[in-house]
Amino acid sequence: MEFDLIERIRARATRRDGVVLGIGDDAALLQPPPGMQLAVATDTLNAGVHFPDGTAPADIGWKALAVNLSDLAAMGARPAWCTLSLSLPDAAAAWVDAFLDGFLALADREGVALVGGDTTRGPLSICVTAHGLVAPGRALRRDGARAGDDVWVTGTLGDAAAALALWRQNGDVPPALRQRLDRPQPRVEAGRALAGIAHACIDVSDGVLADLGHVCRASAVSARVEVDALPSSPALLALQPDDDRRRRWQASGGDDYELCFTAPVVAREAVVAALADAACAATRIGGIEPADDGGATVRAVDGEGGAWQPVQPGYRHFVS
Ligand code: ADP
Ligand code: MG
């Protein structure tokens, strides 16, 4: 049965340059262009944890790849290849076909070849590893933020968290918000455009405050975030949530898959120009400061400059 499923996958797998040997042998053979570094990212999606039960298989497929491409985007790497490990409760060919509709739609769009994987029986779980290419020294790392940098974020924040909150309350979820939860758009072009301009970058998967905290710790700096500056989509504003709820979704919600990056003040015009080429908006949301006595911290401030206290921090596994 596994063989039939693998053959179904192989027959549809996206192709691309550099694949010397794809699905079918004991390992794939990949040829990176001369001189390029490989950026490798892996992420697992578990049913009920990373997507609500009842999520359409095509959306699960899209998201499984999108979250990995988002990691490559945050490194400034160009996605090239991926592998797909599927744990399935049963050998439902129809489920796999629908899953591939979403997975391969994104792979085709981004020019990513599916070159291997594993197929086993077990609770529904999807693990994808994505490989990207980046020129030596150009990768956008978490450890490059410097005091005085601006903090920026691409696109808008909070839509996916709002969709999840409404869905959990059995409320109507406006399609534009549901789309942000189910079909995140990895900021691949934006990440590549920022390579060479930004000092540090991370993708926003667990809420911008929590993710910026990772940048601060890696860079041994602190950050100030003006919660009033966090960008909202028209769909989020149309919900007319109270301000505190909206800010919580934006600051501490998850699943945005935007890029949060730092860049020197002198690079403001360069940032805007580079992202305009990538058809991506960006907003300045704060600044990087020297680490304080408490170490590397992220300080969220409200419109009056006072401390803004999130009720819940960013999503963390294994924490109740
Ligand atoms: P092995 O026992 O050597 O791991 P498998 O039967 O697991 O062999 O895999 C056979 C081939 O099919 C390998 O090339 C593997 O990478 C590929 N493959 C297995 N499952 C998947 C999958 N879900 N997606 C893509 N390729 C897969
Ligand atoms: Mg195997």
Side-chain angles (χ1 to χ4, degrees):
M1 77 87 185
E2 265 117 53
F3 177 80
D4 290 348
L5 284 183
I6 295 170
E7 183 48 34
R8 278 185 113 75
I9 296 169
R10 192 200 58 75
R12 291 180 60 185
T14 322
R15 284 160 185 81
R16 180 189 195 281
D17 292 353
V19 182
V20 180
L21 191 59
I23 294 172
D25 212 311
D26 295 313
L29 291 175
L30 307 172
Q31 182 62 62
M36 295 296 273
Q37 290 181 339
L38 266 185
V40 181
T42 194
D43 252 324
T44 301
L45 264 64
N46 291 325
V49 179
H50 299 99
F51 50 88
D53 291 319
T55 303
D59 291 333
I60 298 171
W62 177 284
K63 192 162 181 175
L65 183 58
V67 298
N68 281 279
L69 299 188
S70 180
D71 283 326
L72 293 183
M75 297 300 289
R78 182 160 61 93
W81 311 297
C82 67
T83 60
L84 167 63
S85 289
L86 285 173
S87 166
L88 302 171
D90 50 57
W95 191 94
V96 170
D97 287 345
F99 174 91
L100 289 175
D101 288 343
F103 188 96
L104 295 176
L106 182 58
D108 287 343
R109 193 185 82 180
E110 299 294 338
V112 176
L114 175 58
V115 299
D118 199 24
T119 307
T120 55
R121 207 183 277 263
L124 180 60
S125 176
I126 302 107
C127 178
V128 173
T129 300
H131 311 81
L133 301 166
V134 64
R138 292 214 19 125
L140 295 169
R141 302 161 50 135
R142 295 181 181 184
D143 61 5
R146 292 173 218 166
D149 281 358
D150 293 318
V151 177
W152 297 76
V153 72
T154 60
T156 61
L157 298 174
D159 288 6
L164 193 59
L166 296 176
W167 178 84
R168 282 193 176 134
Q169 293 164 8
N170 300 313
D172 282 337
V173 184
L177 298 182
R178 183 80 207 202
Q179 189 77 2
R180 288 292 303 271
L181 180 65
D182 290 337
R183 297 258 169 166
Q185 302 291 324
R187 292 293 194 181
V188 172
E189 285 306 314
R192 293 181 64 197
L194 289 168
I197 300 173
H199 279 163
C201 185
I202 192 168
D203 67 320
V204 181
S205 52
D206 298 331
V208 70
L209 297 183
D211 289 317
L212 183 57
H214 299 313
V215 170
C216 287
R217 278 185 293 280
S219 302
V221 294
S222 286
R224 183 192 76 262
V225 170
E226 287 145 30
V227 285
D228 285 352
L230 298 177
S232 306
S233 72
L236 185 63
L237 293 174
L239 277 184
Q240 299 188 305
D242 67 67
D243 281 354
D244 189 62
R245 198 168 187 223
R246 177 166 56 87
R247 285 165 170 174
R248 261 189 287 132
W249 285 333
Q250 296 188 292
S252 317
D255 275 353
D256 294 303
Y257 300 104
E258 297 290 352
L259 299 181
C260 177
F261 60 96
T262 84
V265 172
V266 293
R268 282 180 187 172
E269 283 179 22
V271 165
V272 172
L275 290 180
D277 288 344
C280 176
T283 307
R284 272 188 286 126
I285 60 168
I288 298 293
E289 302 168 346
D292 34 49
D293 293 344
T297 55
V298 178
R299 202 158 47 85
V301 299
D302 62 23
E304 286 83 52
W308 177 83
Q309 195 55 49
V311 176
Q312 284 178 311
Y315 187 86
R316 286 166 65 191
H317 295 273
F318 310 118
V319 174
S320 58

